Amino acid sequence: MNIEDVIKTKEELPISRKAIVNILYTENWISERVSAELKTYDLSIQQFNVLRILKGQKGKPANLSTIQERMVSKMSNTTRLVDKLIKKDFVKRVTCETNRRKVEITITKEGQQFLDKISPVIDNFEKKTTSNLSEEELITLNNLLNKLRS
């Protein structure tokens, strides 16, 4: 279905607007579906992103600015996300005794086990969502999106 049908407009959109509207619509479409998958586990997309970032640290602590830099959604309130993950025992925060401004955040054993449990669910979701595209099309799509941002 083309984007004009989706947004129920009779007029043909200018090609650049059509591309932007299509990207925004698709981003929301994917986000809604990822959110629905994660809702079962009482986790938001942003919290999942923080857990993946901390797992990628391979045991090395991260600070709030490192997490923020690596977030997919830069609008996220990283402190609030970390606080919620601490309440779930998925991450821990340690304040340096000699420099109170230095805060180190790591994924806990429970957080790692939880991520190990839900990662296959998200992997399957990603494969299912992109199953209408060939590997070559996925490569092209990624290259085009990278080019758009450059």
Side-chain angles (χ1 to χ4, degrees):
M1 178 181 283
N2 72 40
I3 196 66
E4 287 91 354
D5 292 339
V6 171
I7 64 171
K8 299 179 182 2
T9 183
K10 302 250 188 277
E11 63 184 69
E12 180 79 14
L13 297 175
I15 195 70
S16 57
R17 184 176 310 145
K18 184 178 197 169
I20 298 297
V21 170
N22 215 334
I23 291 168
L24 291 171
Y25 181 85
T26 304
E27 187 273 334
N28 284 317
W29 179 83
I30 292 170
S31 289
E32 288 171 5
R33 281 155 182 76
V34 173
S35 291
E37 291 287 329
L38 291 172
K39 188 175 185 177
T40 310
Y41 301 96
D42 189 33
L43 202 69
S44 71
I45 294 172
Q46 294 83 6
Q47 290 170 350
F48 182 66
N49 191 206
V50 170
L51 287 176
R52 278 192 164 172
I53 290 166
L54 292 173
K55 179 184 178 185
Q57 292 289 109
K58 301 190 184 322
K60 182 180 163 194
N63 58 38
L64 287 171
S65 84
T66 299
I67 295 170
Q68 181 66 38
E69 287 170 7
R70 296 185 60 199
M71 289 292 291
V72 173
S73 173
K74 304 293 183 199
M75 301 300 285
S76 301
N77 181 335
T78 311
T79 303
R80 184 181 52 82
L81 292 171
V82 168
D83 288 344
K84 286 183 176 187
L85 291 169
I86 288 170
K87 285 181 184 173
K88 295 176 183 188
D89 293 324
F90 292 163
V91 303
K92 67 179 179 180
R93 175 177 35 218
V94 176
T95 305
C96 180
E97 291 182 22
T98 57
N99 181 357
R100 304 284 298 156
R101 291 178 294 175
K102 185 176 179 185
V103 176
E104 295 180 331
I105 301 150
T106 54
I107 190 167
T108 63
K109 182 180 171 189
E110 293 82 2
Q112 183 66 54
Q113 289 171 343
F114 178 78
L115 197 54
D116 290 345
K117 181 174 103 177
I118 66 167
S119 286
V121 172
I122 298 303
D123 291 346
N124 287 335
F125 166 81
E126 291 168 348
K127 287 176 185 158
K128 184 175 141 190
T129 301
T130 60
S131 65
N132 288 339
L133 301 174
S134 69
E135 185 172 347
E136 185 177 311
E137 288 171 324
L138 287 169
I139 290 167
T140 300
L141 176 61
N142 277 293
N143 287 337
L144 290 170
L145 292 170
N146 290 338
K147 185 176 182 178
L148 183 67
R149 286 190 316 277
S150 63

